[in-house]
Amino acid sequence: MCWSAEADLIAGGAVAAVGAAAVVRAGVSRRLPPAALPLLLGGHQLVEAGVWSGWAWARTVWAVIALPLLPLYVPAAVWCATRRRSALWCAALGAAVAVPLALAVARHPVAAHVHGHTLGYAIGVPVAGPLLAGYLAAVLGALLGSGDRYLRLLGWITGLGALVCALLWRLAFVSTWCALAAVASVLLYRWAAVSASSSASASPTEPPGSGTG
């Protein structure tokens, strides 16, 4: 995962391939945005391989995905699939967090430093502690409150992973947590497959997606 450029290439390629398959299974439906998350996160790991190589553009792209994009995308994707009001609140929180994070990425060059076998990023984010808390609340809150067992499981795995990454790799928390989230997101292939099967078995009078949790 984040242990080297080669590990990022292998893990990123594998996760992105699963994401592409999940997108195909989901089809053009409201399940598509969550199903595409492994594709996004797999691409994110591929970009980090460029960070190991010292490419400035890769650092910026990596930061854009990790910081302002994910706290917006995940709650919005959950809302698209579930129409849960809690996901809308999490999306609003994600937007509030994403604005200062986007400004920080736009105003400051993104630096990356090797810490052992991990990467630490320095971006100059103001009030980093509250923003991180809001970030995690938006992402994890949307997943845990989704009412769907697979999305909840992804929320629990990434939530516990955040704790482990904070304890073990404090200086490289964002990098290691994003890598863990990318690998965990392969659960969404199974979610897309089950959701597609449930929709296919629903009666013609039932609304699309009524078989999802």
Side-chain angles (χ1 to χ4, degrees):
M1 296 169 294
C2 56
W3 312 121
S4 67
E6 294 78 12
D8 273 322
L9 285 172
I10 294 170
V15 172
V18 173
V23 166
V24 172
R25 294 303 299 265
V28 181
S29 70
R30 70 188 195 186
R31 300 185 305 273
L32 182 58
L37 183 59
L39 188 58
L40 174 64
L41 293 178
H44 195 218
Q45 294 306 118
L46 292 174
V47 168
E48 192 168 57
V51 177
W52 283 99
S53 300
W55 300 341
W57 68 265
R59 294 195 298 269
T60 301
V61 172
W62 189 95
V64 168
I65 296 173
L67 298 180
L69 181 57
L70 285 181
L72 272 174
Y73 185 90
V74 174
V78 172
W79 180 82
C80 284
T82 66
R83 295 299 194 267
R84 287 281 182 129
R85 183 175 299 178
S86 60
L88 276 181
W89 287 108
C90 289
L93 175 59
V97 169
V99 170
L101 291 177
L103 289 174
V105 173
R107 292 174 177 174
H108 305 287
V110 179
H113 307 282
V114 177
H115 296 284
H117 293 288
T118 62
L119 287 172
Y121 291 85
I123 303 170
V125 175
V127 290
L131 286 178
L132 177 60
Y135 181 114
L136 292 176
V139 172
L140 300 180
L143 294 170
L144 294 174
S146 65
D148 181 280
R149 59 176 177 168
Y150 287 103
L151 297 180
R152 283 200 304 265
L153 179 59
L154 179 59
W156 280 113
I157 292 174
T158 51
L160 293 173
L163 178 61
V164 171
C165 291
L167 292 175
L168 297 182
W169 300 291
R170 182 178 61 86
L171 296 178
F173 168 78
V174 179
S175 177
T176 53
W177 183 71
C178 284
L180 181 143
V183 173
S185 72
V186 300
L187 283 169
L188 293 175
Y189 174 79
R190 177 63 178 166
W191 173 82
V194 169
S195 297
S197 299
S198 299
S199 296
S201 62
S203 69
T205 58
E206 289 179 314
S210 61
T212 58

